[in-house]
Amino acid sequence: AFQGSTDGIIITDLNARIIDANDAFLEIYGYRYDEIIGKRTSVLRSQKTTDSLYKKMWDEIKAYGCWAGQIINRHRNGEEFPVWLSITSIHEQDKTVGYMGVEFDMRKQQELEKRVIQSERLAIIGQMAAKVAHEVRNPLSSISLNAELLGDELRSTSEGITAEGESLLKAIMDEVERVTNLTEDYLQFSRLPEAEFHLVYLDQLLEDTIDFVEAEANSQGIQIIREIEAELPRVAADYHQIRRVILNLMRNAFDAMRNGGFLRLHAVAAGTNVEVSIADTGDGIAEEQRTKIFEPFYTTRDMGTGLGLAIARQIVQEHNGRLSFTSKENAGTVFTMVLPIEHKSIHQKEEMQL
């Protein structure tokens, strides 16, 4: 039970020196077993946890034999994060001989809460986008049809249509097409279909997607470098949705390299996950934009909808994965997608269908 627990567990002596720790504890804090044994628990303490809280905690342990609450602790790398900590006295022959601490990493819960809030927000935004798109669709069709009829009418007259008239009609039709594409993007965002999970050969999906856009990349002076590990483990995924994510990330990279450059697609198995990174040699993302790029409708382009990355992150999260990025101005950006390797339940289901 000690080693099998998903919560971090440590045993200490009366002087708060750690005498045993389970694997979950080591994973939470980033220590090796031989590094942490013999150290006092103060090595985990964050400066954000006050002396008064520690005094209250130990007063309760001495009085009642236990304490539980949320505190801020420190990872081996210096990162501070919240944990739910429960401390219980260990007794032998009616004497306290040590303490057991059980810890739950609150970052997991906070991430789950953020996802729920984001999903609810996206659902509301999607409903609004669908309503706006429906309201705009019919007038757009009418404008487009009447512009075509006007062009035909003018061309049929004895004087014909002037070059300026043709230019104006073309400008109208171009703007109608642009707004039509925007409304289609909004409708697609509001109706993102539920993922259909199957076991997917990710290496083949990536190769096929690169083949699909390579000519487009070459026409813009961009060379695609493939670094795809042979025989990547299968992932439980919706093939078309993950392909959509990869296409979006690659085309964003193309847009960032206006004068050409290199796009490096790297895919490798990493423990229980597969990691796919797409790196460009473009302009990078400005510091002030980095907290906003996953927000729906946020865009720095004149013609963009600002939905591509919001949809991409939503898709990846629904696959129990993560989508993140690093960027340096004038040096490029790297987007990394992490997906879990095949789920046993899906594997069994597909085996039964064979």
Side-chain angles (χ1 to χ4, degrees):
F2 178 75
Q3 280 299 347
S5 175
T6 56
D7 292 334
I9 303 176
I10 56 169
I11 307 296
T12 75
D13 63 16
L14 292 175
N15 296 314
R17 290 193 183 279
I18 300 170
I19 58 177
D20 204 357
N22 71 349
D23 290 341
F25 176 88
L26 301 175
E27 182 178 352
I28 290 172
Y29 287 99
Y31 284 97
R32 297 194 315 271
Y33 186 82
D34 60 335
E35 286 181 316
I36 201 67
I37 297 303
K39 283 188 167 57
R40 296 175 64 92
T41 55
S42 58
V43 73
L44 309 173
R45 182 176 173 178
S46 161
Q47 293 180 349
K48 293 180 181 177
T49 304
T50 62
D51 291 338
S52 60
L53 176 59
Y54 264 91
K55 183 179 184 305
K56 180 182 177 183
M57 178 176 75
W58 284 108
D59 286 347
E60 286 192 23
I61 293 169
K62 290 174 183 177
Y64 306 109
C66 63
W67 179 89
Q70 181 176 325
I71 66 171
I72 304 296
N73 270 352
R74 187 175 64 229
H75 191 275
R76 184 177 182 274
N77 64 12
E79 178 189 357
E80 297 182 333
F81 60 96
V83 297
W84 184 266
L85 173 62
S86 172
I87 300 176
T88 307
S89 299
I90 300 173
H91 298 280
E92 286 184 8
Q93 299 178 349
D94 297 328
K95 290 182 62 177
T96 301
V97 296
Y99 303 98
M100 178 176 71
V102 180
E103 309 193 26
F104 173 74
D105 187 346
M106 296 291 289
R107 289 174 297 184
K108 297 177 182 178
Q109 181 176 336
Q110 290 175 347
E111 180 63 27
L112 180 60
E113 289 172 352
K114 285 181 183 177
R115 288 191 185 188
V116 170
I117 293 170
Q118 184 187 33
S119 295
E120 292 174 348
R121 183 184 177 205
L122 289 176
I124 294 170
I125 292 173
Q127 292 170 6
M128 294 172 60
K131 182 172 178 58
V132 170
H134 280 301
E135 292 295 327
V136 170
R137 241 179 172 183
N138 288 338
L140 280 177
S141 298
S142 178
I143 293 170
S144 178
L145 176 60
N146 282 295
E148 288 183 14
L149 291 174
L150 177 61
D152 292 341
E153 185 70 21
L154 291 172
R155 293 184 194 98
S156 66
T157 62
S158 57
E159 294 85 1
I161 186 171
T162 64
E164 184 181 2
E166 286 283 10
S167 177
L168 291 172
L169 281 172
K170 184 179 183 304
I172 292 171
M173 296 303 294
D174 286 347
E175 287 302 302
V176 167
E177 183 179 4
R178 184 176 74 85
V179 178
T180 299
N181 290 335
L182 287 174
T183 59
E184 289 303 319
D185 283 344
Y186 291 161
L187 285 171
Q188 194 172 43
F189 173 67
S190 67
R191 297 172 180 170
L192 188 64
E194 186 175 342
E196 294 184 9
F197 289 93
H198 299 281
L199 295 178
V200 172
Y201 290 96
L202 194 58
D203 47 358
Q204 190 60 55
L205 183 155
L206 295 171
E207 293 284 2
D208 291 346
T209 306
I210 293 173
D211 290 342
F212 180 73
V213 298
E214 193 151 33
E216 178 184 341
N218 293 340
S219 70
Q220 299 176 48
I222 296 167
Q223 180 182 343
I224 298 177
I225 301 170
R226 310 179 191 217
E227 296 179 347
I228 302 172
E229 185 178 287
E231 299 182 359
L232 281 174
R234 291 182 296 179
V235 296
D238 183 310
Y239 180 97
H240 299 289
Q241 288 195 9
I242 294 301
R243 183 176 183 273
R244 179 178 179 179
V245 171
I246 298 299
L247 276 174
N248 177 267
L249 296 177
M250 293 184 75
R251 284 183 166 142
N252 282 352
F254 295 170
D255 290 340
M257 296 184 283
R258 290 166 293 182
N259 299 316
F262 295 92
L263 183 149
R264 187 181 305 274
L265 193 151
H266 182 81
V268 63
T272 59
N273 301 310
V274 172
E275 294 184 2
V276 180
S277 63
I278 295 173
D280 66 58
T281 56
D283 298 331
I285 300 169
E287 184 75 36
E288 63 273 13
Q289 297 171 358
R290 294 176 192 174
T291 59
K292 303 175 185 177
I293 65 168
F294 288 115
E295 292 181 4
F297 306 109
Y298 178 78
T299 181
T300 58
R301 301 180 202 160
D302 295 335
M303 305 285 283
T305 63
L307 291 176
L309 285 174
I311 293 173
R313 179 179 245 187
Q314 184 180 0
I315 289 172
V316 174
Q317 288 181 342
E318 287 178 358
H319 282 69
N320 294 316
R322 301 187 305 277
L323 181 62
S324 59
F325 73 94
T326 58
S327 187
K328 188 174 181 181
E329 288 190 63
N330 302 315
T333 300
V334 182
F335 275 88
T336 301
M337 177 179 69
V338 179
L339 293 175
I341 293 171
E342 64 182 64
H343 296 306
K344 185 177 180 181
S345 58
I346 295 177
H347 179 77
Q348 291 172 337
K349 180 180 176 182
E350 297 206 348
E351 287 292 323
M352 290 173 64
Q353 293 174 348
L354 293 177

